[in-house]
């Protein structure tokens, strides 16, 4: 199909769009939130085409768009008077109201539910098209399902060119994130999706409202979504996204500690410190952040980045909506770099006695975080597994579980393979490590110790106040390894030679612990305790 491109200011654009819609076609239209992919909401066959063009799951219902308040009545069983109160205050605008539907709403629109979602957009062109069509318009965001929502006509073209009848270019969407969705079909009313209208604004009209648990948390296996659109991954670029909380200073240090090239998605004026960056809005300005977040997420892929670290948006106002969308694009991966206790990075040569030092620190009330355990846990995460499959082949899954041996064999066959494995797993290991540090802080630990054999090859150093290397003479280590692991001297030597030389550990660390057995280890541990006081 050849997609027709029209500018909303061309004098026949509105009439042409209306005609296509009346004839059962699909037209992408601008709205103040995001672009919508519209069809006649009263025509089930036309609506079906929306699902096909977007690749949208059948169980996700659509919003019906109207151009005047009187149009609500035929769409619902009975108009809830609170809908008029909300409409009076916030329509036209970024608010969608859900009520029990009437018989005119086809099942394709409501996806089998007994309710219908209704919105009156404020974008002039959208309202003109609805009114010229003479029918309400069902319109989800005009992106391919799962991708970031479109805020420019060019975004729609990227995803849907050749799949829909027309795209009307009405400029950039002003708000930039989709409407707030509230249902009046529950008691109290429930906020299903945050957007341009804030919870406080809803409460000003409705009194108490509930907030759907799906807004800020991942649904548990088998849990039913009140709003089907809030399921697991969504709004996502191809790149892996991680949200970073904390000051810009901490963000900068963390990003500069990454071992491969990543994309910094930060605020105006911050990008200059990074090799690859995209700025989205201004710090502390929720509206500017909402306006450009989806464009930024699309840019990440256009730049060819595999990983993106996004500065956390403002936490209230429309920022709540930005955070909600980012959480989904990041598959809920958030790293909070504001840590209130000292963090020590602990590393060392095999057989040098890193574990002994760790347990002595544990006796002092320090929480020990073992990254070997976290590395195993990271590859249990479904998102990590699917990225590993994409990189190393679906057949690293055997009998429904990840074959870790096969994965290691493939990944470590080449240098690039090892780097690719690390790029996929490290963000998850880091997230798990930081979560444990926060937990330790809450539990009253004096400090946290990150025990990592490859500390200096990871980004974990970015939040260590001090780094410690444990070293010992070669012959002593040899003896310890052969005794501890009951292996031959040759095997032990092989293992030792696979590691960097002692100088590597000595040069990079703030504190060196010489653990040859005859030294006064307690006194040396004292150096660490003093350093983090
Ligand atoms: O700003 C917006 O709302 C944009 C523009 C185009 O108006 N539209 C939009 O539509 O974001 P869509 O389909 O991408 O998102 C609609 C959301 C989904 O999360 C869907 O599950 C939810 O609204 N929804 C629609 N009808 C519902 C219903 N009857 N009950 C519960 N949730 C509903
Ligand atoms: Mg959508």
């Amino acid at each position: 199909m050849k997609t027709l491109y029209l500018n909303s200011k061309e004098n026949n654009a509105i009439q042409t769009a209306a005609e296509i819609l009346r004839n059962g076609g699909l037209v992408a239209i601008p709205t103040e939130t995001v672009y919508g992919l519209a069809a006649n909401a009263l025509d089930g066959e036309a609506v079906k085409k929306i699902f096909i063009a977007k690749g949208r799951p059948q169980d996700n219902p659509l919003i019906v768009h109207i151009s005047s308040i009187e149009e609500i009545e035929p769409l619902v069983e009975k108009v809830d008077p609170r809908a008029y109160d909300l409409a009076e205050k916030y329509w036209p605008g970024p608010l969608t109201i859900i009520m029990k539907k009437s018989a005119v709403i086809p099942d394709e629109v409501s996806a089998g539910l007994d309710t219908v979602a209704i919105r009156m957009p404020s974008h002039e062109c959208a309202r003109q098209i609805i009114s010229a069509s003479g029918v309400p318009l069902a319109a989800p965001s005009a992106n391919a399902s799962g991708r970031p929502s479109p805020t420019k006509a060019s975004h729609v073209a990227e995803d849907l060119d050749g799949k829909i009848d027309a795209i009307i270019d009405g400029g950039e969407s002003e708000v930039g994130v989709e409407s707030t969705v509230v249902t009046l079909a529950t008691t109290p009313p429930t906020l299903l999706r945050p957007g341009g209208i804030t919870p406080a604004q809803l409460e000003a009209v409705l009194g108490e409202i509930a907030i759907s648990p799906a807004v800020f948390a991942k649904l548990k296996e088998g849990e039913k979504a009140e709003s089907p659109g809030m399921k697991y991954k969504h709004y996502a670029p191809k790149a892996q996204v991680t949200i970073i909380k904390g000051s810009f200073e901490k963000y900068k240090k963390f990003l500069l500690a990454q071992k491969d090239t990543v994309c910094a998605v930060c605020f105006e004026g911050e990008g200059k410190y990074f090799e690859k960056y995209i700025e989205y809005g201004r710090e502390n300005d929720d509206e500017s952040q909402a306006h450009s977040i989806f464009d930024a997420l699309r840019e990440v892929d256009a730049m060819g980045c595999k990983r993106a670290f996004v500065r956390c948006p403002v936490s209230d106002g429309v920022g709540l909506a930005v955070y909600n969308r980012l959480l989904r694009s990041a598959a809920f991966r958030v790293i909070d770099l504001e840590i209130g206790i000292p963090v020590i990075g602990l590393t060392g040569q095999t057989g040098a006695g890193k574990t002994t030092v760790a347990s002595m620190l544990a006796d002092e009330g320090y929480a020990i975080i073992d990254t070997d355990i976290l590395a195993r846990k990271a590859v249990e995460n479904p998102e990590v597994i699917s990225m590993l499959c994409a990189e190393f082949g679906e057949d690293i899954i055997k009998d429904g579980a990840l074959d870790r041996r096969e994965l290691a064999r493939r990944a470590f066959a080449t240098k690039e393979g090892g780097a690719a494995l690390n790029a996929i797993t490290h963000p998850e290991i880091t997230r798990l490590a930081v979560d444990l540090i926060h937990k330790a802080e809450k539990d009253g630990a004096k400090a946290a110790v990150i025990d990592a054999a490859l500390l200096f090859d990871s980004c974990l150093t970015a939040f260590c106040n001090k780094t410690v290397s444990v070293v010992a003479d070669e012959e002593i280590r040899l003896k310890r390894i052969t005794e501890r692991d009951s292996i031959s001297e040759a095997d032990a030597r092989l293992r030792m030679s696979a590691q960097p030389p002692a100088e590597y550990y000595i040069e990079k660390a703030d504190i060196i612990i010489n653990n040859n057995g005859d030294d006064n280890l307690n006194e040396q541990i004292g150096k660490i305790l003093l350093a983090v006081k």
Side-chain angles (χ1 to χ4, degrees):
M1 165 188 305
K2 190 161 164 43
T3 300
L4 177 68
Y5 287 82
L6 291 171
N7 190 293
S8 65
K9 296 205 177 69
E10 284 172 58
N11 44 24
N12 64 341
I14 305 291
Q15 283 314 322
T16 309
E19 204 176 308
I20 297 172
L21 289 162
R22 272 197 305 271
N23 291 329
L26 301 185
V27 181
I29 62 169
T31 90
E32 74 281 15
T33 56
V34 301
Y35 274 71
L37 178 59
N40 176 356
L42 307 180
D43 176 352
E45 289 308 309
V47 171
K48 266 188 197 155
K49 296 182 196 162
I50 293 180
F51 286 84
I52 295 167
K54 279 183 58 101
R56 181 177 175 105
Q58 299 281 339
D59 67 348
N60 196 0
L62 306 177
I63 295 171
V64 176
H65 296 71
I66 58 175
S67 60
S68 70
I69 292 188
E70 303 79 67
E71 292 166 53
I72 302 179
E73 219 182 305
L75 306 177
V76 298
E77 202 174 64
K78 188 171 138 270
V79 187
D80 187 316
R82 295 170 300 179
Y84 287 132
D85 298 339
L86 286 170
E88 197 175 309
K89 268 207 121 119
Y90 305 122
W91 276 3
L95 174 66
T96 295
I97 305 168
I98 295 177
M99 285 172 277
K100 283 260 156 46
K101 71 167 195 168
S102 76
V104 303
I105 300 293
D107 270 348
E108 286 82 0
V109 170
S110 53
L113 300 176
D114 61 356
T115 52
V116 61
I118 305 173
R119 169 166 118 82
M120 180 158 107
S122 66
H123 198 294
E124 266 305 309
C125 169
R127 283 215 314 285
Q128 283 169 358
I129 292 174
I130 301 164
S131 122
S133 311
V135 288
L137 298 179
S141 49
N143 51 291
S145 199
R147 297 259 301 145
S149 296
T151 54
K152 293 176 180 172
S154 62
H155 296 162
V156 181
E158 269 168 36
D159 286 11
L160 299 177
D161 181 63
K163 294 182 174 159
I164 61 177
D165 295 288
I167 298 175
I168 312 296
D169 187 343
E172 282 184 31
S173 294
E174 203 178 312
V175 178
V177 290
E178 305 86 341
S179 61
T180 301
V181 179
V182 67
T183 177
L184 299 179
T186 58
T187 313
T190 306
L191 171 72
L192 299 181
R193 179 176 75 180
I197 300 296
T198 64
Q201 284 176 302
L202 292 177
E203 275 165 349
V205 174
L206 299 173
E208 188 205 352
I209 59 164
I211 296 189
S212 167
V215 169
F216 294 115
K218 185 158 45 182
L219 286 174
K220 298 201 180 65
E221 199 77 35
E223 199 173 339
K224 188 171 159 285
E226 289 170 283
S227 182
M230 288 285 102
K231 281 181 193 166
Y232 199 35
K233 200 162 175 178
H234 204 153
Y235 313 111
K238 294 189 188 78
Q240 182 195 41
V241 174
T242 304
I243 301 173
I244 306 293
K245 280 189 177 164
S247 69
F248 179 63
E249 273 316 303
K250 297 221 157 93
Y251 174 84
K252 187 173 130 198
K253 190 170 173 206
F254 180 68
L255 258 76
L256 295 179
Q258 298 301 315
K259 300 295 161 185
D260 57 342
T261 310
V262 301
C263 183
V265 182
C266 50
F267 301 131
E268 240 168 64
E270 296 174 346
K272 57 178 178 279
Y273 299 98
F274 310 105
E275 192 183 324
K276 289 203 174 184
Y277 68 90
I278 296 156
E279 295 176 337
Y280 86 101
R282 292 173 292 279
E283 187 167 19
N284 302 322
D285 178 350
D286 56 340
E287 287 178 14
S288 71
Q289 292 167 11
H291 179 79
S292 44
I293 186 58
F294 283 135
D295 189 39
L297 289 177
R298 280 177 181 262
E299 263 312 292
V300 169
D301 284 343
M303 286 175 96
C305 293
K306 283 200 161 170
R307 295 204 282 148
F309 290 100
V310 185
R311 281 262 271 148
C312 191
V314 172
S315 62
D316 57 3
V318 68
L320 208 63
V322 180
Y323 186 62
N324 164 278
R325 308 305 190 271
L326 276 172
L327 270 180
R328 279 159 183 79
S329 65
F332 293 87
R333 188 174 30 258
V334 182
I335 297 180
D336 180 357
L337 296 177
E338 294 298 337
I339 295 166
I341 51 174
V343 178
I344 296 160
L346 178 66
T347 187
Q349 300 165 291
T350 176
K354 189 161 60 78
T355 314
T356 311
V357 173
S359 66
M360 289 170 79
L361 291 171
D363 290 343
E364 296 291 332
Y366 289 23
I368 312 298
I369 293 158
D370 182 340
T371 52
D372 283 343
I373 296 175
L374 300 187
R376 282 195 289 275
K377 207 163 162 205
V379 294
E380 287 167 11
N381 178 312
E383 198 216 2
V384 171
I385 293 176
S386 79
M387 286 192 297
L388 291 172
C389 286
E391 184 75 38
F392 299 106
E394 295 289 336
D395 50 345
I396 54 170
I397 303 292
K398 299 245 163 70
D399 304 323
L402 180 71
D403 183 346
R404 288 182 34 221
R405 232 180 235 188
E406 182 59 22
L407 170 65
R409 203 181 61 76
R410 287 184 199 186
F412 295 117
T414 61
K415 207 168 161 223
E416 296 76 45
L421 176 67
N422 289 342
I424 294 169
T425 56
H426 278 191
E428 180 64 6
I429 296 173
T430 307
R431 182 188 71 81
L432 292 168
V434 176
D435 280 358
L436 287 179
I437 296 173
H438 286 295
K439 185 173 174 295
E441 181 179 350
K442 234 197 244 147
D443 294 346
K446 278 194 215 150
V449 177
I450 303 178
D451 177 345
L454 296 175
L455 181 69
F456 297 121
D457 286 323
S458 76
C459 64
L460 296 169
T461 48
F463 37 80
C464 292
N465 303 76
K466 292 284 174 209
T467 54
V468 178
S469 283
V470 186
V471 296
D473 293 347
E474 201 169 312
E475 292 312 307
I476 293 174
R477 294 198 289 125
L478 185 67
K479 187 159 176 284
R480 286 186 189 147
I481 298 168
T482 47
E483 279 169 13
R484 182 189 65 194
D485 300 341
S486 321
I487 56 172
S488 72
E489 209 180 290
D491 283 348
R493 284 201 192 275
L494 205 65
R495 210 186 275 179
M496 286 161 68
S497 66
Q499 285 193 328
E503 296 78 60
Y504 167 92
Y505 294 95
I506 293 169
E507 261 166 34
K508 293 180 189 281
D510 298 314
I511 298 169
I512 318 293
I513 304 276
N514 278 297
N515 182 23
N516 284 328
D518 51 354
D519 318 300
N520 186 345
L521 201 53
N522 269 319
E523 209 166 280
Q524 294 195 64
I525 297 285
K527 283 194 284 186
I528 304 177
L529 305 184
L530 214 62
V532 299
K533 268 242 162 75

